[in-house]
Amino acid sequence: MTLVDKISLELGAQEPWPKDVKFFQPHEVEQVLLPDNANCLATQAFLKMCQLPYIVEPRPNAEAMSPTLKVPFIKAGRFVIAELEGIVQFVNGKGITLTEPLDSDQKSNMRAYMSLIHSVLEMAELYICWVDDETYNEVTTARNGSVYPWPLNHIQNRNKRSQVIKKLKTLGWYNKKLEDVYSEVETCCESLQTRLDGKRFFFEHGPTELDALVFGHLFTILTTPLPRSDLANIVRNYPSLIDLVKRIEKEYFKKAAQQ
Amino acid sequence: MGTVHAKVEENFTEAHSEIKSSARELPDKGQIKEIEIGGVKARVDKIHIDGLSRTKNDIIEDCIRELFKAKDFQDVLLKAHKARVKLDELGCFKNISVFIDTSKGPKATPDGLEVTFNVKEHKRIIGGVSTHVGNNEGVLQIGIKTPNIFGRGERVQVEYSHGSKKTSNFNLAFIKPFRGKHRPTLTTSMFQSHMEFPSSAYKMLEKGVVFDLGFYSWSLLKHNIQWEGNIRDLSTLSRNASFDVRKESGLSLKSSLKHVLSLDLRDEIIFPTTGSLLQLTSEYAGVGGDVGFLKNDLYLQTNYSILPDIVFQGCLMGGYMSGISNDLKISLADMYFLGGPLSMRGFQMRGVGPHSDGDALGSRAYWAGGLHLFTPLPFRPGRGGFGDLFRTHFFVNAGNVGDIEVKSGQNILEIIRNNVRVSYGLGIALRLGNMARLEINYCFPYIYDKCDQTHPGVQFGIGVQFL
């Protein structure tokens, strides 16, 4: 983040949360892919936990519109802020926070788990979508290309795939086998379950952005139909995580739907 | 060929003086006899072309065939000149010189002439680095071309250019001229270009293919029929770009058919003294792709010499775009923009019309007109030399850009007059070679809207086509 961006965030902080905040994401039904959907859902969960109102605006070019070229992003007045971490920071600037009662040890603990989810679950989702041939051919090409006309859809799929593969290569995920990916996910869920330790949320006092992020990823993995259901089956082995996901869904999403 | 040129205009007094002036170089004035060459009977017996190696005969024959039909000496000169121009247009030769001699040998006729064209073919590969002028920017271009690869004027060229305003352009083209009355030329090219538009806060990367068929339906009436398919990747220039620009980001595929008609009757490109230029462009996008519109553009320029060296110029340009379907989008890059030193002077680049947070958004229609008076510099310093590159320039510009809807029953004049912008000013115009014009003007925006970005005072413009 450049200095200018930081200053603009600081300045934006002084204004209250505007009423017409728009939440931009790709089309949920026909376009969005597993990792993007997880991040969008996590951010929505966070905003709901903070009880901040927003309007969802699905756009086919949401990714290109985002200042970081990643979904989701919000538009609050003059400010455009992308991704969960940026939005959390922006919301904190307005004096709204979910991590007030945490001491600095717990905060850094929370950040460590969040980066674990980004570096394991998100990578595994990217791997399944773009590297695994079966999923790529059956699901990813159709969905990612759905918003482009022929022959741009094929070109765009190829470009995006090579971008993702480049990213996975630098992070050492491309050369992994499917079994390695699954075992990474298992280890990740294992450690999350240990941290949760039967509590309602990861921290005693209530939900935090970590809960939002875990909910976003696990809920998406559990509910997205894919040719390979292995990922969902792994997650199902961790009942306390499933309970957390159900709890958050009931508390923040079902309630909103009923209203 | 100076005398030939004078004779073309059938202007005997001028021809007379030119012959006299050339006569000065000759030692003995007494021996000069003036001959009316129009009356001298002549016929071309033979034509030699010297210096051909890989160029095929048939295309050369097409160029020179007319020369055999010449009846008198004037005709021979004229047709030899035309043949030379045609040979030059083939783009196969570095230089061409013409010699005319009386015909000798057993088969020579009494009035017979022999015409020899000495040509020098281009090398197989030529390349170079050059600078040229684009729209208000300087451009450095590196190019390689292989002229005349198959012996009939075909060429492949690769060009890369980089502009001072961060534009870059790569182009690979194959050009094939055909034989025939209409002088058709087929061009196929692939390009990739990157452009930045700070006044609209976006940048665009374009990759595409163009097929172009150019031909003349009448000696100066040129048609171009094009199909263009390109992928445009539009993105914002900075984080602070207006949201109206941001929401246009992303990829689009335009596939369009285009017809360009141009008629250039001007005597010169940069500072014409007489004649008109007409360009009509129609573009239909939506033959595949996800961009759809029908666009019609007009550019008209007319020049009158009021007094010698004082030229009055009128320009008119306009465009109208309509969407063809709700499923096909019209991107920010397809919009019309107005303002800047090359169009509405006295306004900033794209300064006229709707803006959002200072970024120009463009419109679906525009028109602009300009009246110009070009005179030599006051007191004419450097007359006959350097001073002739300059002109004093007075202008009035008027125009408007907006989503003008033409409804039936509405007076079109009223729509045009509504919300018109006017600016005027004076300055100096400079001819740069034979390819660009440079203008420094002092501008006074006279009528403008509150959302416009005006640019009163000194404005600098450099380019090829001006309003």
Side-chain angles (χ1 to χ4, degrees), chain B residues 93-382:
Chain B
F93 308 116
K94 227 187 285 181
N95 51 43
I96 305 164
S97 53
V98 192
F99 296 99
I100 302 176
D101 200 354
T102 51
S103 161
K104 294 179 187 81
K107 285 184 178 171
T109 55
D111 298 326
L113 294 173
E114 275 179 27
V115 182
T116 310
F117 290 88
N118 267 322
V119 296
K120 192 157 186 214
E121 285 185 350
H122 277 300
K123 294 207 177 93
R124 287 211 175 254
I125 292 183
I126 48 180
V129 180
S130 61
T131 50
H132 64 105
V133 176
N135 281 344
N136 232 23
E137 72 168 342
V139 179
L140 178 75
Q141 182 169 303
I142 305 164
I144 297 176
K145 71 178 168 186
T146 60
N148 202 11
I149 2 175
F150 305 121
R152 289 194 172 87
E154 307 87 349
R155 59 188 187 272
V156 172
Q157 58 190 44
V158 184
E159 281 167 358
Y160 176 77
S161 65
H162 196 91
S164 58
K165 288 191 174 164
K166 292 183 182 164
T167 61
S168 68
N169 191 13
F170 171 82
N171 192 315
L172 168 70
F174 174 74
I175 299 155
K176 162 113 184 106
F178 290 98
R179 301 158 61 190
K181 202 170 87 187
H182 301 296
R183 289 182 277 157
T185 308
L186 184 72
T187 308
T188 60
S189 59
M190 285 164 63
F191 67 92
Q192 173 171 333
S193 76
H194 173 88
M195 276 177 285
E196 293 195 355
F197 302 92
S199 45
S200 294
Y202 72 89
K203 57 184 178 204
M204 189 164 66
L205 179 70
E206 271 189 282
K207 292 174 196 172
V209 225
V210 182
F211 290 94
D212 175 296
L213 178 70
F215 62 92
Y216 290 85
S217 69
W218 179 55
S219 67
L220 288 165
L221 193 64
K222 192 179 182 193
H223 297 261
N224 284 83
I225 294 173
Q226 286 181 356
W227 173 78
E228 182 183 310
N230 64 357
I231 296 170
R232 292 111 38 105
D233 188 359
L234 202 139
S235 50
T236 53
L237 266 182
S238 75
R239 220 185 155 96
N240 305 323
S242 129
F243 199 79
D244 288 309
V245 174
R246 184 174 291 283
K247 72 176 198 273
E248 299 281 331
S249 320
L251 292 163
S252 61
L253 173 67
K254 181 177 95 168
S255 159
S256 70
L257 288 170
K258 204 173 187 176
H259 175 240
V260 185
L261 182 123
S262 52
L263 177 65
D264 192 353
L265 301 171
R266 299 172 300 172
D267 57 344
E268 223 192 285
I269 296 168
I270 307 303
F271 288 133
T273 57
T274 175
S276 302
L277 167 70
L278 172 72
Q279 272 176 2
L280 279 172
T281 311
S282 310
E283 183 177 9
Y284 179 88
V287 214
D290 59 352
V291 175
F293 57 77
L294 176 67
K295 229 174 171 180
N296 287 294
D297 294 16
L298 161 92
Y299 180 81
L300 179 69
Q301 186 193 81
T302 311
N303 301 283
Y304 292 106
S305 288
I306 308 171
L307 291 165
D309 293 337
I310 297 184
V311 179
F312 178 78
Q313 185 183 73
C315 294
L316 180 68
M317 54 192 201
Y320 186 80
M321 168 166 58
S322 46
I324 52 167
S325 152
N326 285 336
D327 301 334
L328 299 171
K329 56 188 173 192
I330 299 175
S331 149
L332 186 61
D334 301 310
M335 291 293 188
Y336 291 116
F337 297 92
L338 188 64
L342 306 185
S343 61
M344 276 287 283
R345 294 163 186 84
F347 289 85
Q348 287 188 15
M349 205 77 177
R350 299 183 162 191
V352 184
H355 283 76
S356 162
D357 297 339
D359 302 330
L361 298 179
S363 295
R364 295 204 179 179
Y366 86 106
W367 73 271
L371 298 176
H372 304 262
L373 189 70
F374 291 101
T375 67
L377 291 181
F379 314 114
R380 312 196 73 162

